[in-house]
Amino acid sequence: MPEIPISEAGEASTGPVLFGGYDQTALDAQYNNRAAVPDFADIVAGWQRDSERTRSELKGHLDVAYGAGERAKLDIFPAAGDASGQAPVLVFIHGGYWQALDKSVFSCVAPHYVEAGITVVTIGYPLCPDVTMGGIVAHCRTALLWLSANIGDYGCDPTRIFLSGHSAGGHLSALLASTDWAAEGGAANLLKGAIPLSGLYELEPIRLSYLNEALHLTPEDARLYAPRLQTGRISCPLLLAVGGDETDEFLRQQRDFAAHLGTQGLTPQTLELEGLNHFTLVDALRSSGSVLSNAIVDFIQQP
């Protein structure tokens, strides 16, 4: 699968300021999670091992096509027990800076929530530079419209779809929460709630960083696809979480997005989880009894 390049991490700002007081080297370092977490490869390898085990042990409907193309597929892991068509749905969009990884790496998210009576769906989507950011957003919208129309066939309640995602997936889940679903041909209240994790809500620093070598974001893209620049559209509750040990920019991004939601009359639940970095946050997401997983189950099961 494609790999995200690792830029040179620097500590001192010595060149021209590009964004938020950062020069190029410092800005790149803020968004270079792999350099910030030296053992990231071991953590991701653990996800992959546990995901392979999940797919072999847990009942699932794998590689269900929601649209055209090899990556326009999703995996469905039905809730444990007899849900009688009433199981809520947790949809998860993977990260990888819109240019790496795939849904199969994150099957490991499913077991805890399945055991709690929640169906888990992991979405695949095409990656940059093969497609644009707009193409990725369009694929994920198509996936959610497909789920709204078809998830009832898998023992689920289509009025209880909760959307989550990590990192780039956090960005996509927040942006999709602002979609006018009725204008897209779906139910106006398609999403019951959104749970962006370690999200990227402002894309201008991404456009100015080394990551844009693959993304090819334009200034207009950075405005059009930034959740923090959307106004008056989100109508579902939100739960935002970020690791307390993530970089200053990831912490700022969540705080600024929460403040923006406040100006829209929304009060999101927010978590800054002490001791967790950008990768161990996913381990907390999939672990029974963690502060994060408990908060997510409570968020989904609330009346």
Side-chain angles (χ1 to χ4, degrees):
M1 67 187 66
E3 291 292 336
I4 304 167
I6 300 178
S7 71
E8 294 293 328
E11 297 181 357
S13 295
T14 57
V17 171
L18 290 182
F19 181 89
Y22 299 108
D23 71 357
Q24 187 70 70
T25 300
L27 182 65
D28 287 351
Q30 284 293 311
Y31 289 98
N32 193 342
N33 292 303
R34 294 186 173 196
V37 183
D39 61 343
F40 81 89
D42 292 336
I43 298 171
V44 174
W47 302 345
Q48 292 172 315
R49 286 193 302 270
D50 290 348
S51 289
E52 290 172 2
R53 184 181 306 113
T54 295
R55 292 192 299 276
S56 68
E57 296 180 354
L58 201 63
K59 175 185 175 183
H61 307 277
L62 305 181
D63 292 325
V64 179
Y66 66 78
E70 179 61 30
R71 283 182 167 264
K73 297 177 180 178
L74 49 80
D75 295 339
I76 303 170
F77 299 97
D82 180 12
S84 300
Q86 300 303 308
V89 183
L90 175 61
V91 181
F92 183 80
I93 307 177
H94 72 80
Y97 274 143
W98 310 275
Q99 58 186 281
L101 303 179
D102 60 62
K103 64 179 174 60
S104 68
V105 179
F106 296 93
S107 303
C108 60
V109 170
H112 168 60
Y113 300 97
V114 165
E115 185 64 27
I118 301 165
T119 290
V120 174
V121 177
T122 55
I123 291 178
Y125 54 90
L127 303 175
C128 295
D130 293 338
V131 295
T132 63
M133 181 69 74
I136 291 175
V137 172
H139 269 79
C140 291
R141 282 187 178 138
T142 298
L144 285 168
L145 289 166
W146 186 94
L147 282 168
S148 180
N150 294 281
I151 198 63
D153 295 338
Y154 296 87
C156 300
D157 183 349
T159 70
R160 299 176 68 199
I161 297 175
F162 294 81
L163 178 60
S164 187
H166 175 251
S167 196
H171 157 263
L172 291 165
S173 60
L175 184 64
L176 291 163
S178 70
T179 296
D180 182 346
W181 292 107
E184 298 288 337
N189 59 345
L190 188 149
L191 291 180
K192 184 73 170 179
I195 311 167
L197 308 172
S198 300
L200 296 147
Y201 310 109
E202 184 177 1
L203 296 183
E204 184 63 6
I206 302 300
R207 185 184 74 83
L208 295 171
S209 78
Y210 76 103
L211 294 164
N212 208 37
E213 294 175 11
L215 303 178
H216 305 302
L217 294 173
T218 66
E220 178 61 19
D221 291 333
R223 290 189 295 270
L224 183 62
Y225 300 116
R228 196 170 75 81
L229 300 182
Q230 309 300 312
T231 57
R233 295 181 182 176
I234 297 178
S235 59
C236 65
L238 291 101
L239 167 60
L240 312 177
V242 67
D245 289 349
E246 300 203 45
T247 66
D248 290 343
E249 271 292 278
F250 273 86
L251 293 168
R252 178 196 67 79
Q253 287 249 14
Q254 174 162 302
R255 293 166 186 166
D256 285 359
F257 184 53
H260 164 73
L261 293 172
T263 69
Q264 307 297 303
L266 300 169
T267 306
Q269 181 181 348
T270 60
L271 298 172
E272 288 188 11
L273 296 161
E274 183 178 355
L276 297 182
N277 61 46
H278 193 72
F279 297 95
T280 55
L281 185 86
V282 175
D283 288 334
L285 165 68
R286 64 193 190 93
S287 297
S288 174
S290 73
V291 171
L292 179 58
S293 66
N294 285 345
I296 291 173
V297 170
D298 289 346
F299 185 77
I300 292 173
Q301 292 182 340
Q302 63 187 335

